[in-house]
Amino acid sequence: MNFSTMSYFIALAEERSFTKASSRLGITQQTLSAHIAGVEHELGVRLIIRKVPLELTYAGGVFLGYARRMQDLERSMQQEFQDIAGDERGLLRVGIASTRSHFIMPRSIAAYQRRRPGIEVDLVEEENEELIESLQAGQLDLIVATVPKDIPGLSVQDLYREEVVLVVAKELLSKLYQGHEDEVVAEVERKGTLQPLADCPFLLLGKRDIPGDLARQAFRESGITPTIQVTSSNTETLLDLCAKGAGAFFCPRRLVFSSLSEEEQTQVRLIHLGDKALYWINVAWRKADHIWSATEAFYKTLAEEVGEMHHEG
């Protein structure tokens, strides 16, 4: 067994197919099969059940845990010796929800590349829970997400507080409430309930996205069964639909101002939902014997750029 064997087994476990795994690794299926058979012979156990899709045995699941830890150790070792040698090259895998990527990453990555031009940034956009799972699996080096601070093996730092607001086109409010829009909005904000908007159609994000989860919680607490016009995992699409009057949408406040034109911003109303719609956005990476300087530098750049954006409003 060696580091390559570990990488081969991880790819096979994730792809559940010799064909897909060998293609991903750039080797032949025969080579991959021989490596796996060799490990099984060395350990004296079966690691996989060869069917379509293939399955891991109990021993295979245990071995996968060891393989991922060894892969982490190899990557940490390579990064530490890069830092020792002063070699500022490499690939930094960064994960973030597309909701935030739109207004955080262009400016932050541009600033980072001015400081560390030899580091290639691989930007991966997934939903919040998927980002945490990918980080834990060693598929990402750093994520920007809402991350519980008690997850073992992760270092979690606060980045900024995000507010989700309910965005509604003024035209839609006028059509539904015919001159009583101010009273309806004031009641929602004062009482913290969506009951006054029970007749309003809504646009909804997926279940693993925090604004979508907040929306579903608000529906439950308000005791309403909403009319959902569109469900999507694309925040920008739903925000555009919202601005055109298709329905009300729970959306990060920052995204409203970064995605909608000035004219579109004048055509929507933001309804504030109180402290329950505020939550922390964190930066997280895996704990290790050595934290790559490129990872630490990216976190510092993010903190500086997001701080400046907050100061600018």
Side-chain angles (χ1 to χ4, degrees):
M1 288 182 281
N2 53 42
F3 284 130
S4 294
T5 303
M6 300 301 171
S7 297
Y8 291 172
F9 188 79
I10 291 170
L12 184 61
E14 291 175 349
E15 298 293 347
R16 304 282 168 160
S17 162
F18 277 97
T19 301
K20 293 180 180 178
S22 59
S23 176
R24 167 175 153 180
L25 294 165
I27 61 176
T28 66
Q29 292 185 50
Q30 291 81 0
T31 298
L32 178 58
S33 181
H35 270 278
I36 302 304
V39 175
E40 290 179 321
H41 178 74
E42 185 173 345
L43 295 175
V45 294
R46 291 182 64 191
L47 298 177
I48 62 171
I49 300 172
R50 286 169 167 77
K51 65 177 190 176
V52 181
L54 67 79
E55 294 180 1
L56 299 185
T57 63
Y58 172 78
V62 173
F63 186 74
L64 179 61
Y66 279 104
R68 282 181 167 153
R69 290 194 292 275
M70 289 191 69
Q71 189 179 64
D72 287 345
L73 184 61
E74 180 194 19
R75 185 172 177 82
S76 179
M77 179 185 69
Q78 291 173 342
Q79 291 170 348
E80 182 167 5
F81 280 97
Q82 279 182 290
D83 286 342
I84 291 171
D87 185 355
E88 296 189 349
R89 295 174 297 172
L91 175 67
L92 182 69
R93 305 163 300 172
V94 177
I96 187 170
S98 60
T99 306
R100 298 176 199 99
S101 182
H102 180 76
F103 59 87
I104 291 179
M105 285 304 174
R107 176 168 169 169
S108 298
I109 290 177
Y112 181 72
Q113 289 181 329
R114 288 193 293 270
R115 299 173 183 180
R116 302 292 294 266
I119 303 296
E120 176 187 348
V121 177
D122 179 15
L123 190 62
V124 177
E125 295 183 353
E126 295 178 334
E127 293 184 346
N128 198 83
E129 295 304 312
E130 293 173 330
L131 290 171
I132 296 173
E133 291 168 4
S134 295
L135 180 64
Q136 290 178 300
Q139 297 166 348
L140 294 171
D141 297 304
L142 174 148
I143 63 172
V144 180
T146 296
V147 186
K149 293 188 176 180
D150 58 355
I151 297 181
L154 296 187
S155 177
V156 183
Q157 309 295 325
D158 292 336
L159 185 60
Y160 70 92
R161 287 267 272 179
E162 187 163 83
E163 178 189 12
V164 170
V165 294
L166 186 59
V167 188
V168 194
K170 293 177 180 178
E171 182 181 357
L172 178 59
L173 283 174
S174 178
K175 178 181 176 181
L176 291 171
Y177 304 107
Q178 302 178 5
H180 298 283
E181 301 93 314
D182 290 344
E183 294 95 318
V184 169
V185 170
E187 186 175 358
V188 172
E189 293 187 332
R190 184 177 65 255
K191 295 184 177 180
T193 176
L194 298 180
Q195 274 290 344
L197 294 171
D199 296 330
C200 182
F202 287 86
L203 311 171
L204 198 58
L205 282 166
K207 292 183 178 180
R208 304 189 81 185
D209 195 293
I210 288 176
D213 288 341
L214 283 173
R216 291 174 177 84
Q217 181 179 345
F219 296 145
R220 288 193 298 271
E221 292 177 351
S222 302
I224 67 172
T225 302
T227 299
I228 306 298
Q229 295 293 88
V230 181
T231 300
S232 172
S233 60
N234 190 307
T235 305
E236 288 80 5
T237 297
L238 293 180
L239 185 57
D240 286 342
L241 285 170
C242 175
K244 291 177 172 59
F249 178 47
F250 287 78
C251 180
R253 180 179 175 275
R254 289 172 181 257
L255 191 64
V256 176
F257 297 105
S258 66
S259 293
L260 297 183
S261 67
E262 291 185 6
E263 181 180 355
E264 288 174 324
Q265 291 174 34
T266 65
Q267 296 170 359
V268 299
R269 189 154 185 176
L270 306 188
I271 302 176
H272 298 273
L273 305 169
D275 290 344
K276 62 185 177 183
L278 291 170
Y279 55 97
W280 279 103
I281 300 301
N282 312 106
V283 178
W285 55 85
R286 286 167 297 141
K287 293 178 181 177
D289 293 336
H290 176 79
I291 304 302
W292 192 21
S293 63
T295 301
E296 292 181 322
F298 195 87
Y299 164 61
K300 291 178 181 177
T301 301
L302 274 174
E304 290 172 6
E305 294 302 318
V306 169
E308 287 185 16
M309 284 187 276
H310 179 76
H311 181 72
E312 293 167 2

